[in-house]
Amino acid sequence: MSREQAIAESASSPTQQDRLWESFRRWGYMQASLDPLGDLEPAPVPELDGWGAEADTARRVYCGSIGVEFMHIPDREKRAWIQQRMESDAPKPDRVRILDLLIRADIFEQVLQTRYLGTKRYSLEGECALIPLLDSVLGAAADQGAEKAMLAMSHRGRLNVMVHTVGRAAADVFARFEDVDPRSTLGSGDVKYHMGATGTFHSANGREVEIHLVSNPSHLEAVDPVVIGRTRAKQQRRGENGRRRVVAVVMHGDAAFAGQGICAEVLNMAGVEGFAVGGSVHIIVNNLIGFTTAPRDGGSSRYSSDLAKRLPIPIFHVNAEDPDAVVRVGKMALDYRYEFETPVMIDLIGYRRHGHSEVDDPTITQPLRYRKIEAHPELWKIYAEKTGVDPSPMVERVRDDLDAAQKEAQEIEKSPQMRKLPRYWGAFRGGKYDPSLEVPTAVAADSLTMAGETLASYPEGFHVHPKVKKLLEQRREMAQGKRAIDFGMAEALAFGSLLHEGVPVRLTGQDSRRGTFNQRHAALIDVETEDEIVPLAGLVERPAFCEIYNSPLSEAGVMGFEYGFSRDYPEALVLWEAQFGDFANGAQIIIDQFIAASEDKWNLLSGIVLLLPHGYEGQGPEHSSARIERFLQLAARDNIQICQPSTAAQYFHLLRRQALRSWRKPLIVFTPKSMLRNPAASSQLAELAGGRFQTVIPDGGDGSADRVLLCTGKIGHELIAERKRHPEIAPAIVFVEQLYPLPEAELAAEMDRHANAREFVWVQEEPGNMGAHEFMVPELKRLARQRSVLSVNRSSAASPSTGSHKAHEMEQKTLVSLAFGV
Ligand SMILES: Cc1ncc(C[n+]2csc(CCOP(=O)(O)OP(=O)(O)O)c2C)c(N)n1
């Protein structure tokens, strides 16, 4: 009986033989021969104790250099696919090509080592099979129709991949070791093993795939959601078949994959509609060590990849010292991704020849393992011997090529450009703010009224929730100018008008479709059928698209994804919303390493918007503060914009300004909660139909006040309410709507207008060690021209606010009284 027949029969009558095969399919990976140094010993699995010819065959298939985990996949068709590929004869490998790549990879590292002794390069030696693996994955992708691959990886082997996979000239990489032209990067830039690179991969059968290796910070795995978001954007740009045309390949370290939570966040997003990319290819470059830490201290399970079992996807473990098996796995994994559009996981198990970096001595912590490694020959030597292919001419050629490249590098005067920006970035710029960048953001009143009509309408027979129905009626009146416009409607009109002008809008966050505060209702839900309609879709003019998604309950993963999306859709308004602003701290790495610093480090721009609900309303320490102070600390060289619009019209103009200006800078918006529907913060239709975003809202008075209160956000409205109660004090109240870049001219003009003012007071709800206090007070002192600058705030505190609503109210009252000097 053929094996196929046996498989078919096993469905109806399990025989002993079938059970034996089932055991090997299920557990074979636990005894597969995966570790070139033999430290990862076979695990005892009684189900695999069978003997005889059939057991030997099954053992050869499932316990050789490939160990595959796939029996946890509930879908029978997917299991059968893997089974069929594993149990068929292996395709014939191109051994000359494989050997050539192994030699290139190894000797490249050795040349770096001898020429640039004492510099860190994070060698790939011990894992050189990564290069033929990528060759196989990308070659198979090209055959499947991929025209672009987005690669992400950390330090290990990055320079090697740049040359041998991305196709950058070795001379360009060497030039970075020569460290030419340091003046060009003083105070900014990044180390060579973090830089991105663009190039072309050439497959064995002559196809080409454009490659982009994404710039990457030191924080391991932080780049993962970024590359996925970028892939999604590039797929979306291509429209039909985008998922086949662009593929993401994400490489991980074994310690990092096991330890970094963001890996779980990214895997969890893989099948969610708003974030799916048709499956990403993951490769763990598994050297069974993390810096000095052994796997037993790096995680609680046998394989670094075990996290991936949370998804119904295959995990291929492969011994990095069997290049034929490695190449086979690469193609199998890639084909699976194309067949089923799910992620696939490859665990490439090898070793690390040197210390963590080459200046590090590994024999201090792993003396026995490193004794073994020292005696272990390079992989290309083992492979040449095994295959009988003569390596000598190849070795000579590679050495000659690299010698020439090094000479060429010494001639290079300026750091070579490793990257090319796509054409769609042509219309946008970064750098310093310049007022000539401003564009009109107002929208004609009749257009707003028409947009409002669309936003408030739904098909006949659609059963809207009574509360939403009332809101829609109010929105219609708002757009007709019969009722003041609140924040929710201002946002809908900003999105709607942009969509109508052909600007795509994408917003994600937890519960963002309805809105945490019941304020958005981007999707209307039929209360009888749960069918959904998105009124904004009625305003979309091509080439725009409108995507508003609820996201998984993750911050770093989702924000990283949206940052990535914004990198490849500069013409779109891309927003990430926090449930409450303080939760953005779960994504602090993305904020620090990408959003705030990517222009400085990599000269890469993004127009991402973070919407962070902020305000002291007695909800306790964790729902009050979006940590304005942290964003202000990150602000320098006009890298980001930090704004707190205090009215609906201001929010409308701010969003439109962000999309319509050609200046691409991340925008941090502190958004309201209780102020969402507060009449004091709502606006008239005319304020959207005219005007623009005001970075400072001056006091409405004649400039004669002797006390000027300066503030940002909700507290300003409370100060205005207090002034109504105390007309005898009547301080001027100035709203600083944009904290960064600081609108100096506007602030100075307003302060100078109050020529008689004795004192300027910065008023904030946040404790003195938080909020904008430490940023604003020195700036105000500078602009006050010798006049007194005071501040009123909550006392410095370890946590943002009290947990007691009553205590909050007392504090708030005192704060306002102090501001008034009573
Ligand atoms: C989030 C984070 N924590 C710590 C470090 C410091 N660090 C850099 S590499 C490394 C070890 C990584 O081990 P592994 O993921 O196995 O990759 P390998 O270097 O072995 O290829 C550590 C701890 C870091 N870069 N990022």
Side-chain angles (χ1 to χ4, degrees):
M1 189 185 341
S2 76
R3 195 162 301 132
E4 282 73 20
Q5 285 167 323
I7 295 166
E9 192 168 294
S10 69
S12 46
S13 63
T15 63
Q16 213 175 352
Q17 240 176 39
D18 297 329
R19 275 201 297 273
L20 181 138
W21 273 94
E22 282 302 292
S23 297
F24 277 91
R25 286 173 196 134
R26 184 171 294 281
W27 299 113
Y29 72 96
M30 294 293 277
Q31 293 190 352
S33 164
L34 299 173
D35 175 7
L37 301 183
D39 288 346
L40 183 69
E41 286 176 359
V45 181
E47 287 85 341
L48 301 181
D49 287 348
W51 52 272
E54 200 68 23
D56 288 348
T57 313
R59 193 167 285 118
R60 239 190 334 272
V61 172
Y62 287 107
C63 301
S65 298
I66 301 174
V68 54
E69 297 182 63
F70 69 111
M71 295 297 278
H72 60 290
I73 301 175
D75 187 331
R76 194 191 172 102
E77 189 196 347
K78 291 179 180 164
R79 290 200 310 273
W81 191 99
I82 303 260
Q83 192 174 315
Q84 199 274 333
R85 289 286 278 254
M86 284 295 291
E87 294 175 22
S88 309
D89 291 338
K92 207 167 142 359
D94 179 347
R95 290 184 157 161
V96 173
R97 186 172 172 94
I98 294 173
L99 181 61
D100 182 60
L101 291 172
L102 291 175
I103 289 173
R104 284 179 186 283
D106 225 313
I107 293 186
F108 173 79
E109 297 289 356
Q110 288 165 14
V111 167
L112 284 181
Q113 176 71 13
T114 43
R115 300 285 157 77
Y116 305 105
L117 195 67
T119 4
K120 294 182 187 176
R121 63 191 156 89
Y122 298 106
S123 164
L124 188 60
E125 289 156 277
E127 284 279 0
C128 284
L130 176 66
I131 302 298
L133 174 59
L134 287 171
D135 186 67
S136 165
V137 167
L138 295 169
D143 291 343
Q144 292 275 10
E147 58 201 43
K148 177 121 208 157
M150 298 297 288
L151 267 54
M153 69 187 301
S154 64
H155 51 289
R156 177 85 44 222
R158 191 174 172 101
L159 301 174
N160 213 313
V161 167
M162 274 190 190
V163 173
H164 298 117
T165 308
V166 185
R168 300 305 312 184
D172 290 353
V173 171
F174 290 162
R176 296 199 161 260
F177 279 85
E178 304 287 341
D179 212 0
V180 287
D181 194 17
R183 283 158 304 167
S184 62
T185 51
L186 280 182
S188 61
D190 201 351
V191 291
K192 48 192 159 290
Y193 39 84
H194 289 165
M195 302 299 273
T198 314
T200 307
F201 166 81
H202 299 272
S203 78
N205 59 7
R207 293 188 207 273
E208 291 188 350
V209 182
E210 287 172 43
I211 306 283
H212 184 69
L213 174 63
V214 177
S215 301
N216 173 80
S218 181
H219 274 74
L220 295 167
E221 308 295 340
V223 74
D224 299 1
V226 176
V227 71
I228 304 292
R230 294 196 59 179
T231 303
R232 166 88 174 210
K234 284 187 187 287
Q235 292 178 340
Q236 216 150 308
R237 298 195 84 85
R238 283 167 171 78
E240 212 187 328
N241 270 337
R243 289 186 182 180
R244 297 192 74 80
R245 293 163 67 188
V246 187
V247 61
V249 180
V250 192
M251 286 159 269
H252 314 269
D254 51 308
F257 190 78
Q260 293 294 305
I262 199 164
C263 300
E265 296 189 12
V266 171
L267 284 178
N268 189 40
M269 290 157 72
V272 178
E273 188 198 336
F275 305 89
V277 292
S280 37
V281 178
H282 295 264
I283 300 173
I284 299 181
V285 184
N286 188 346
N287 49 25
L288 294 174
I289 194 163
F291 210 142
T292 66
T293 300
R296 65 174 177 278
D297 297 325
S300 300
S301 63
R302 180 176 171 88
Y303 292 109
S304 153
S305 58
D306 281 343
L307 166 72
K309 271 196 266 195
R310 69 175 295 167
L311 295 184
I313 61 169
I315 301 165
F316 301 93
H317 306 277
V318 60
N319 188 323
E321 210 140 273
D322 183 347
D324 293 352
V326 169
V327 166
R328 181 180 177 199
V329 158
K331 178 160 170 52
M332 193 165 20
L334 192 285
D335 287 349
Y336 185 96
R337 178 273 185 203
Y338 271 83
E339 183 72 23
F340 299 109
E341 296 207 338
T342 78
V344 286
M345 193 84 220
I346 301 170
D347 180 20
L348 178 71
I349 303 182
Y351 61 94
R352 189 188 69 195
R353 180 163 291 280
H354 307 286
H356 170 59
S357 77
E358 294 64 38
V359 292
D360 209 84
D361 182 357
T363 61
I364 298 170
T365 47
Q366 276 80 19
L368 299 184
R369 185 165 170 86
Y370 274 84
R371 218 171 285 163
K372 263 196 226 172
I373 290 173
E374 208 182 351
H376 201 79
E378 288 103 317
L379 176 54
W380 63 265
K381 289 183 183 157
I382 299 173
Y383 191 65
E385 200 170 308
K386 182 173 142 193
T387 57
V389 183
D390 176 15
S392 325
M394 296 186 201
V395 172
E396 211 166 303
R397 201 180 53 240
V398 171
R399 283 200 191 282
D400 288 349
D401 286 355
L402 292 175
D403 279 349
Q406 206 221 350
K407 288 204 187 77
E408 199 186 318
Q410 286 164 342
E411 315 274 289
I412 296 176
E413 279 172 13
K414 270 187 94 180
S415 281
Q417 262 305 332
M418 302 295 267
R419 234 186 18 217
K420 205 171 78 214
L421 277 184
R423 259 202 315 266
Y424 43 79
W425 271 101
F428 302 99
R429 51 158 291 191
K432 280 269 177 208
Y433 172 70
D434 172 351
S436 70
L437 293 161
E438 294 302 338
V439 292
T441 51
V443 176
D446 54 351
S447 302
L448 291 172
T449 307
M450 266 160 51
E453 194 54 41
T454 307
L455 294 176
S457 307
Y458 45 88
E460 246 195 62
F462 193 88
H463 310 94
V464 179
H465 192 284
K467 286 184 186 160
V468 179
K469 189 170 180 192
K470 189 163 159 229
L471 177 99
L472 294 179
E473 280 158 14
Q474 290 173 351
R475 285 191 170 175
R476 178 175 282 121
E477 289 174 16
M478 290 178 198
Q480 290 169 344
K482 295 180 183 160
R483 175 188 275 272
I485 292 173
D486 63 14
F487 265 83
M489 184 55 168
E491 182 188 83
L493 288 171
F495 290 169
S497 56
L498 288 170
L499 291 167
H500 198 56
E501 291 159 36
V503 177
V505 174
R506 178 181 163 94
L507 162 67
T508 71
Q510 292 148 23
D511 309 293
S512 285
R513 269 163 92 83
R514 190 203 72 175
T516 297
F517 311 102
N518 220 346
Q519 83 284 15
R520 183 166 293 123
H521 300 283
L524 306 179
I525 295 161
D526 189 311
V527 291
E528 301 292 331
T529 62
E530 287 197 4
D531 285 347
E532 290 189 10
I533 53 167
V534 176
L536 279 165
L539 292 166
V540 172
E541 286 288 333
R542 282 174 66 79
F545 55 80
C546 173
E547 299 193 330
I548 300 185
Y549 291 112
N550 289 339
S551 77
L553 213 165
S554 305
E555 285 78 25
V558 182
M559 191 195 289
F561 183 102
E562 298 309 338
Y563 167 81
F565 194 95
S566 76
R567 288 271 317 106
D568 283 285
Y569 241 116
E571 64 273 47
L573 182 67
V574 181
L575 311 97
W576 177 83
E577 183 176 57
Q579 185 115 68
F580 285 89
D582 49 314
F583 295 127
N585 62 12
Q588 199 63 48
I589 299 166
I590 302 295
I591 296 169
D592 290 354
Q593 306 300 331
F594 291 95
I595 293 179
S598 64
E599 186 177 2
D600 207 33
K601 291 194 291 193
W602 310 315
N603 206 11
L604 294 176
L605 308 176
S606 158
I608 191 171
V609 181
L610 304 187
L611 300 179
L612 310 178
H614 174 86
Y616 278 58
E617 283 149 3
Q619 292 186 47
E622 274 84 52
H623 292 108
S624 300
S625 175
R627 300 290 195 167
I628 293 177
E629 65 279 6
R630 292 195 181 147
F631 291 96
L632 288 170
Q633 193 203 33
L634 289 170
R637 301 189 191 209
D638 287 3
N639 61 335
I640 51 177
Q641 310 161 80
I642 304 175
C643 296
Q644 183 159 213
S646 63
T647 69
Q650 281 281 87
Y651 185 44
F652 172 85
H653 288 296
L654 178 62
L655 292 175
R656 286 182 50 80
R657 182 184 87 163
Q658 179 70 357
L660 298 176
R661 277 194 316 206
S662 60
W663 203 47
R664 281 294 167 270
K665 293 281 165 166
L667 167 65
I668 319 301
V669 190
F670 299 104
T671 55
K673 296 174 289 173
S674 67
M675 282 282 132
L676 281 167
R677 295 179 191 81
N678 191 313
S682 30
S683 302
Q684 299 306 313
L685 188 66
E687 295 175 80
L688 279 63
R692 57 177 53 195
F693 179 70
Q694 293 173 274
T695 52
V696 172
I697 301 184
D699 181 65
D702 60 7
S704 62
D706 71 346
R707 189 179 176 86
V708 179
L709 307 182
L710 297 116
C711 60
T712 181
K714 162 181 152 285
I715 187 76
H717 293 297
E718 290 172 30
L719 294 174
I720 289 177
E722 183 72 2
R723 185 168 62 183
K724 287 191 183 132
R725 284 192 286 273
H726 284 287
E728 74 289 359
I729 303 176
I733 297 168
V734 179
F735 286 76
V736 182
E737 303 276 295
Q738 178 170 300
L739 293 157
Y740 192 85
L742 188 74
E744 269 194 50
E746 291 79 355
L747 257 180
E750 182 60 1
M751 289 168 83
D752 290 348
R753 190 170 74 88
H754 290 89
N756 300 328
R758 276 183 304 108
E759 54 197 17
F760 297 96
V761 188
W762 176 254
V763 187
Q764 68 172 36
E765 303 180 295
E766 299 85 352
N769 57 332
M770 299 176 193
H773 171 260
E774 286 179 10
F775 173 80
M776 283 305 295
V777 170
E779 298 285 7
L780 293 176
K781 283 192 173 152
R782 196 162 54 78
L783 299 173
R785 302 183 204 281
Q786 316 300 331
R787 290 179 287 172
S788 147
V789 174
L790 308 172
S791 69
V792 171
N793 41 251
R794 284 183 161 79
S795 314
S796 288
S799 120
S801 84
T802 167
S804 148
H805 193 80
K806 279 200 175 136
H808 160 79
E809 284 185 340
M810 278 167 61
E811 288 173 7
Q812 199 78 356
K813 218 166 153 225
T814 312
L815 194 82
V816 172
S817 304
L818 281 172
F820 276 69
V822 293

